[in-house]
Structures are given as structure tokens and as C-alpha cells.
Amino acid sequence: MFEITVTGHFDSAHYLDGYKGKCEEVHGHRFGVGVGVRGERLNEIGILYDFAELKAHLREVLGYLDHKPLNALPPFQGQNPSSENLAVYIYGEMEGRLKGSGVSLTFVEVHESPENRVRYAP
């Protein structure tokens, strides 16, 4: 089994409705995001999946979130754009882009600071 990971980031603002503390106010982060894919077979040139292609998919997904007020985006209407919910959203978007590629998405990790991160792996 092989697994590869790529990372990216986006800058956005959000607030957590119902949270008691500083995060209930609008604030921003440079969110770091990592995605991992896994598979058993390498292709004819000896790679599992092209890093550049995987990174391009991630850039497309993160581009939708970059420099936006996350609470105003349709995916987060009715739910907080917490790091957990961001990871679930990114996972769904990446999974759709990887259908039929011969690899499976294994996780999405969202870092809202160097000390705080969440990993979603259904």
C-alpha cells in the first residue's frame, strides 16, 4: 500500500455561532490543509498519483474558500465553518475529483494554527 500527501493553504475569516469565547467574534486564519490518498498499484512510470495533479485539485477546492467570509458561503449555511466542518467539506470536494483515478482519499487535515488541527478520515 502506498500513500501520498499534499498540502496547501487558504486565508479566510469566520466566527463560531454559539461558541462562548474569542472565536464567537469574526477572526481570520491562514488555514493549512493536507490531503492523503492511497492505493496499491503504481502506474507504468512508477508513481501512485501525480503530486502536481493532486495539488491542482486541492488548489481548486481551496480557491473557493480563499479570502472569503466562510459563514456566508452556501456549504456553511446552517452550520459553523469550524475546522471539523471545513475538513468534511474539503473531503467531499476532493473525493469527487478523484473518482475513477485508481486512488482513494484517506484523510483531510485542517490546521487553523500551528498548534491546532483536525483530521477527518471517514
Side-chain angles (χ1 to χ4, degrees):
M1 184 68 62
F2 297 92
E3 185 171 70
I4 64 171
T5 303
V6 297
T7 61
H9 71 272
F10 66 99
D11 299 298
S12 291
H14 71 157
Y15 62 88
L16 299 178
D17 193 35
Y19 185 84
K20 302 299 181 214
K22 292 193 294 185
C23 294
E24 69 185 325
E25 300 296 331
V26 175
H27 62 283
H29 296 283
R30 169 161 279 190
F31 289 96
V33 178
V35 298
V37 299
R38 131 182 324 180
E40 293 187 20
R41 293 198 169 95
L42 302 181
N43 68 13
E44 63 280 354
I45 64 168
I47 64 173
L48 177 65
Y49 194 83
D50 187 345
F51 281 115
E53 189 175 333
L54 186 58
K55 194 141 178 117
H57 289 310
L58 182 58
R59 269 194 306 275
E60 288 174 15
V61 172
L62 300 184
Y64 176 71
L65 304 170
D66 192 39
H67 284 82
K68 305 270 179 38
L70 297 176
N71 296 75
L73 296 177
F76 303 107
Q77 300 298 297
Q79 68 174 344
N80 276 322
S82 62
S83 291
E84 293 86 347
N85 286 331
L86 284 165
V88 170
Y89 169 76
I90 294 166
Y91 191 98
E93 292 294 309
M94 289 296 294
E95 188 174 45
R97 285 168 169 75
L98 294 170
K99 278 196 183 334
S101 67
V103 296
S104 59
L105 187 61
T106 56
F107 72 88
V108 169
E109 191 169 79
V110 174
H111 311 234
E112 63 177 50
S113 75
E115 298 86 17
N116 302 320
R117 64 185 70 193
V118 61
R119 178 179 280 227
Y120 177 65

